[in-house]
Amino acid sequence: MEAWRRQLDEPVSAFPIVKAGPAHVATLKTFDPPLSTLEGRTFAGARRRAKRLMFPTADGELVVLVHLMTAGRLKYLRAGEKGPKVPAFRLEFEGGAQLVLTEAGSKKRAGVWLLTPEAVEAELAHLGPEALGLGAVALGEICAEESRRLHSLLRDQRVIAGIGRAWANEILHHAQLSPFALSRDLAPEQVQRLSDAIDTELGRGLELRERGANDARTYRMHDKLREPCYVCGTPIARVDYEEHTVYYCPDCQTGGRVLKDRRLSRLLR
Ligand SMILES: [Zn+2]
């Protein structure tokens, strides 16, 4: 997300918006103020909070907030550049450049909100501190607060903002911690390792995305079932947990133990 923000920051603020919309009915989540109130205004740039991208207007009155979910893509098209016929959302700038949101598949999960700055604040108030640069001290406090499975804790945006399920897999593997270890059981040295892994992995992701790498090249654990672990060569394992699939290395992370599906292991307990 940070890589996208950097790419969009300059171009979106170059020209005023001449036409806002159309937007897919499932994508645009707000109707007041109407999209047309954007027309004639210029963005101040692109901002980011956790996985949300925000485009505040230069006059400080409105903010376009975008959440891409899993399949949404936001693209800046220069004047004359070919784009999708029916994007889920489109903004056209003076001179012909466009900002378009597309989403693969029939389910529209990505969202666009047109809000006042106050409404954005309210919307974001429940988010935890940013993951990147969080540091071991703050992370230690978060881990001690309540006993949570690490994979679920890392993904909880109210606790730490900015880590999705894929990066939770990458980070926990890098830290050599089990996705199911309990946060309160971590030794200070393990908290430090987890904190370092958050910065290293998110930093690595940012760099690869800026160079245009795709998911397959960016992730080393996520979605790599049975491929060799890049550290020890053990085939990567997978366990289905609640609505998420967790990828891990049984040798590096769980002391050789193969984890059972959560639902199944509950029955067997
Ligand atoms: Zn391994």
Side-chain angles (χ1 to χ4, degrees):
M1 292 308 298
E2 179 57 21
W4 283 5
R5 187 201 69 75
R6 289 186 192 178
Q7 274 176 23
L8 292 171
D9 190 41
E10 272 197 31
V12 296
S13 55
F15 296 103
I17 298 154
V18 287
K19 192 170 187 318
H24 191 281
V25 64
T27 304
L28 185 65
K29 310 289 188 188
T30 52
F31 56 91
D32 184 31
L35 266 188
S36 59
T37 51
L38 277 172
E39 292 168 6
R41 296 179 206 247
T42 305
F43 287 133
R47 312 277 180 269
R48 182 187 66 86
R49 185 81 169 84
K51 297 165 100 178
R52 294 156 180 80
L53 285 169
M54 288 171 291
F55 305 94
T57 57
D59 58 19
E61 287 184 16
L62 295 167
V63 181
V64 174
L65 187 150
V66 178
H67 198 311
L68 296 170
M69 302 304 287
T70 316
R73 297 288 178 266
L74 200 56
K75 223 177 156 187
Y76 181 83
L77 305 168
R78 282 161 302 176
E81 199 176 333
K82 266 232 180 303
K85 276 213 176 65
V86 196
F89 177 72
R90 184 207 310 265
L91 289 177
E92 193 184 325
F93 299 95
E94 196 180 288
Q98 297 178 58
L99 184 68
V100 293
L101 190 160
T102 56
E103 191 170 18
S106 55
K107 284 211 173 98
K108 297 294 173 215
R109 292 206 175 91
V112 173
W113 291 255
L114 179 59
L115 302 165
T116 62
E118 296 74 34
V120 171
E121 280 306 307
E123 180 85 14
L124 300 181
H126 69 280
L127 280 178
E130 284 289 326
L132 191 62
L134 180 65
V137 175
L139 181 64
E141 285 166 8
I142 287 169
C143 285
E145 213 154 89
E146 52 176 331
S147 202
R148 297 271 304 268
R149 306 273 178 208
L150 291 181
H151 197 276
S152 139
L153 179 135
L154 287 181
R155 282 189 348 253
D156 187 340
Q157 303 299 309
R158 291 163 304 175
V159 179
I160 301 171
I163 302 175
R165 62 200 170 120
W167 286 107
N169 290 327
E170 302 296 325
I171 288 165
L172 287 167
H173 177 264
H174 191 109
Q176 304 207 302
L177 291 168
S178 163
F180 298 109
L182 289 167
S183 58
R184 269 188 185 154
D185 294 347
L186 295 190
E189 175 266 327
Q190 291 174 310
V191 172
Q192 183 66 54
R193 241 164 49 209
L194 184 55
S195 171
D196 292 345
I198 289 173
D199 287 344
T200 308
E201 283 300 310
L202 294 183
R204 186 177 68 81
L206 185 54
E207 204 185 303
L208 281 168
R209 291 295 195 205
E210 278 187 314
R211 282 196 266 137
N214 58 14
D215 282 0
R217 283 205 43 222
T218 302
Y219 300 132
R220 299 188 286 191
M221 299 300 294
H222 184 71
D223 233 2
K224 305 280 187 191
L225 182 64
R226 286 192 282 272
E227 289 183 34
C229 161
Y230 66 89
V231 173
C232 72
T234 302
I236 291 168
R238 183 179 83 183
V239 61
D240 290 317
Y241 178 66
E242 291 168 356
E243 77 277 31
H244 290 296
T245 301
V246 175
Y247 294 86
Y248 67 100
C249 170
D251 199 57
C252 290
Q253 294 176 262
T254 57
R257 261 186 327 128
V258 173
L259 303 168
K260 297 274 188 299
D261 276 6
R262 188 170 183 267
R263 283 157 299 175
L264 189 63
S265 61
R266 196 193 277 152
L267 290 176
L268 296 175
R269 196 177 287 156

